[in-house]
């Protein structure tokens, strides 16, 4: 059974992240695809397209002038399919993954015995981190899918705090299958 109070904190965490929606949307408009300052999104898109067409994704990207060798792991480019399914900018999959991960973290916070204000403050942390990126590193957040990776790490951190081996396993798998460094 679900803890009703914890569900409210999950919703609060999700909403805190969603409050940045308009600023994220504006940032995506400021840095249209393909981003001229980075080849990350182009490589991720090509890797996703290759996989969906049954082509091995790890060969030089000849579609780009400098022919980079793709180094991105499957859980870094496969979530692009979610954005493709809804016909939206592929960077939105990272934003919503992060929001859902924040909700998961908020649910855990909601189960803890502590003052309401402290719980609410802790639930705002993922949103605060996102806002810091938006305000001080917007070049990075809008030309990559690093927010997706941040969502994966948030799942891992929550699993570690919960001391739940299954969630820790899932979090480690998400992290390892999204980054090789």
């Amino acid at each position: 059974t679900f803890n009703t109070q914890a569900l409210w904190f999950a919703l609060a965490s999700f909403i805190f992240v969603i409050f940045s929606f308009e600023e994220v949307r504006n940032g995506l408009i400021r840095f249209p695809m393909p981003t001229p300052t980075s080849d990350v999104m182009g490589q991720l898109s090509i890797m996703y397209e290759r996989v969906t067409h049954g082509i091995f994704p790890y060969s030089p990207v000849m579609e780009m002038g400098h022919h980079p060798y793709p180094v991105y792991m499957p859980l870094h480019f496969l979530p692009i399919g979610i954005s493709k399914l809804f016909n939206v900018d592929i960077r939105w999959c990272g934003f919503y993954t992060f929001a859902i991960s924040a909700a998961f973290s908020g649910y855990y916070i909601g189960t803890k015995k502590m003052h309401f204000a402290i719980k609410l403050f802790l639930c705002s942390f993922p949103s605060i981190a996102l806002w810091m990126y938006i305000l001080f590193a917007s070049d990075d957040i809008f030309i990559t899918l690093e927010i997706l990776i941040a969502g994966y790490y948030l799942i891992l951190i929550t699993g570690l705090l919960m001391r739940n081996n299954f969630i820790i396993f899932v979090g480690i798998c998400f992290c390892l299958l999204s980054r090789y460094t």
Side-chain angles (χ1 to χ4, degrees):
T1 66
F2 284 104
N3 178 328
T4 306
Q5 182 181 10
L7 284 174
W8 284 110
F9 284 99
L11 182 62
S13 293
F14 184 80
I15 289 172
F16 286 150
V17 172
I18 296 299
F19 279 155
S20 66
F21 177 89
E22 187 59 25
E23 198 60 40
V24 170
R25 189 185 70 75
N26 289 336
L28 296 181
I29 291 169
R30 262 193 340 269
F31 295 93
M33 291 288 291
T35 55
T37 56
S38 172
D39 65 359
V40 173
M41 297 309 297
Q43 285 187 59
L44 292 173
S45 295
I46 290 167
M47 292 178 78
Y48 172 79
E49 291 300 324
R50 286 177 177 174
V51 165
T52 59
H53 290 98
I55 301 168
F56 184 67
Y58 296 101
S59 59
V61 180
M62 303 310 283
E63 296 88 343
M64 298 182 150
H66 59 290
H67 312 301
Y69 185 85
V71 294
Y72 301 103
M73 300 296 283
L75 287 182
H76 202 150
F77 64 82
L78 287 177
I80 289 173
I82 298 167
S83 294
K84 297 275 188 183
L85 179 68
F86 293 106
N87 199 30
V88 296
D89 187 311
I90 61 176
R91 296 169 288 182
W92 281 114
C93 70
F95 177 77
Y96 284 112
T97 299
F98 186 76
I100 291 166
S101 298
F104 178 68
S105 173
Y107 183 86
Y108 168 71
I109 292 166
T111 64
K112 305 313 291 173
K113 296 216 181 290
M114 61 181 81
H115 192 274
F116 177 84
I118 293 172
K119 287 183 185 183
L120 205 55
F121 178 67
L122 291 173
C123 285
S124 72
F125 273 19
S127 178
I128 290 169
L130 176 58
W131 275 103
M132 292 298 107
Y133 253 105
I134 290 169
L135 295 173
F136 301 112
S138 64
D139 290 3
D140 291 338
I141 198 168
F142 299 125
I143 63 172
T144 67
L145 266 182
E146 294 305 313
I147 191 170
L148 174 72
I149 311 306
Y152 293 158
Y153 276 92
L154 189 52
I155 291 169
L156 175 59
I157 291 166
T158 304
L160 290 168
L161 291 172
M162 294 172 72
R163 295 188 172 122
N164 182 310
N165 288 334
F166 177 74
I167 296 171
I168 292 170
F169 172 76
V170 168
I172 288 172
C173 287
F174 280 5
C175 293
L176 288 177
L177 290 173
S178 64
R179 301 293 293 187
Y180 76 99
T181 56

